[in-house]
Amino acid sequence: METTPQGRVLVLGLGNLLMGDEGVGVHAVRELALRSLPPHVDVMDAGTPGTDLVSLLDGYDQVFIVDAVDAGQEPGAV
């Protein structure tokens, strides 16, 4: 992977596809993976990594995590 002045970037999707909205992070990164992104940006479907999450972040300067939370709102609310 190429390193730029901005550094290496990871967009990490978390979630469980079997749990409805809980899978939003996985769906989001799958869509991003179809796009043309700069070479210093990686997109990863991490599913439900648990404690392995920390090792996935190694080597990146910036990490964006896409996940769902229970905020007490209707499913699908942003």
Side-chain angles (χ1 to χ4, degrees):
M1 157 157 288
E2 177 181 324
T3 301
T4 68
Q6 298 84 20
R8 294 182 61 201
V9 176
L10 174 63
V11 181
L12 187 68
L14 302 179
N16 182 339
L17 294 176
L18 301 176
M19 301 292 291
D21 281 359
E22 170 62 25
V24 70
V26 173
H27 289 295
V29 296
R30 285 181 178 178
E31 182 63 32
L32 274 176
L34 300 173
R35 312 288 174 156
S36 178
L37 299 172
H40 68 283
V41 177
D42 285 338
V43 176
M44 183 186 305
D45 168 358
T48 54
T51 57
D52 293 332
L53 175 63
V54 175
S55 65
L56 298 176
L57 310 180
D58 190 40
Y60 289 97
D61 300 295
Q62 297 180 57
V63 177
F64 296 89
I65 298 176
V66 183
D67 196 6
V69 297
D70 182 354
Q73 297 184 11
E74 292 295 317
V78 178

